[in-house]
Amino acid sequence: MQKQKISFDLSIYDSPQELPGEYEKLMSVAQKCRQQAYAPYSNFQVGAAVLMENGEIVIGNNQENASFPSGLCAERVAIFQAGARFPGVPVKAIAISAASGITKVSKPAAPCGNCRQAIAEYEQKQPEPIKIFMMGESGQVFAVSSLTDLLPLAFGNAYLK
Ligand code: THU
């Protein structure tokens, strides 16, 4: 039996203002579009901004539904829209920001498991990894340099060949 340790580097910024310029802007887009989320049931608003290799920014926010499972997270609204609008263009980074009408979200919000799997599909079909920046309503930003850091041993199309 062998054991292998899988680890990753988490970068922690005290605020979005500490981020390199293009990612600070990306996070401010995520914060802004979070405010347009349709989240009447959870009162938890999430915004996601996808930076494409061609410089375009594609946004998404969570879209809830009275039939709860029919709603969709901000990250998948954004990444699917990016795939629809710019097929074949690599994704450089995704910024995510979450806030709540019930409590202050000061801890960075990481994408749910389904969204990690959805984003993994895009990372696997492009040469460079996708950077992920995560924050709550205010405060610290967590950053990883690849989606794989958040979803090690991910399932992918290699299994289907
Ligand atoms: N939500 C997201 O938009 N992204 C996540 O990664 C986690 C959860 C949304 C789904 C639902 O509308 C609300 O937040 C509460 O779960």
Side-chain angles (χ1 to χ4, degrees):
M1 196 267 280
Q2 294 175 18
K3 278 197 180 179
Q4 197 181 332
K5 197 180 207 92
I6 300 176
S7 63
F8 70 94
D9 290 325
L10 179 69
S11 302
I12 301 174
Y13 298 86
D14 281 337
S15 75
Q17 286 74 41
E18 266 192 17
L19 293 169
E22 65 177 336
Y23 301 126
E24 181 187 359
K25 185 190 165 207
L26 193 66
M27 186 56 85
S28 78
V29 173
Q31 287 176 299
K32 203 167 168 200
C33 78
R34 181 190 82 208
Q35 290 160 21
Q36 270 82 53
Y38 177 64
Y41 304 107
S42 70
N43 219 339
F44 189 79
Q45 295 90 20
V46 185
V50 178
L51 176 63
M52 313 297 294
E53 202 59 62
N54 63 6
E56 295 276 353
I57 293 177
V58 180
I59 61 149
N61 43 36
N62 50 327
Q63 299 293 319
E64 297 188 347
N65 192 283
S67 172
F68 290 1
S70 300
L72 200 62
C73 293
E75 295 90 331
R76 273 175 288 163
V77 170
I79 196 80
F80 291 157
Q81 189 188 175
R85 287 185 55 203
F86 301 108
V89 178
V91 173
K92 202 168 162 189
I94 305 177
I96 301 157
S97 172
S100 166
I102 298 164
T103 178
K104 181 133 180 150
V105 183
S106 42
K107 196 175 160 218
C112 79
N114 278 316
C115 289
R116 293 176 199 206
Q117 180 66 36
I119 298 166
E121 181 78 21
Y122 293 82
E123 183 166 280
Q124 288 165 10
K125 68 184 169 78
Q126 66 182 46
E128 297 295 326
I130 299 174
K131 294 181 176 60
I132 314 278
F133 297 93
M134 300 154 271
M135 74 174 291
E137 183 180 348
S138 58
Q140 287 182 332
V141 179
F142 286 177
V144 294
S145 55
S146 168
L147 183 277
T148 305
D149 292 340
L150 299 180
L151 191 67
L153 306 180
F155 185 79
N157 65 14
Y159 292 97
L160 303 178
K161 279 171 189 157

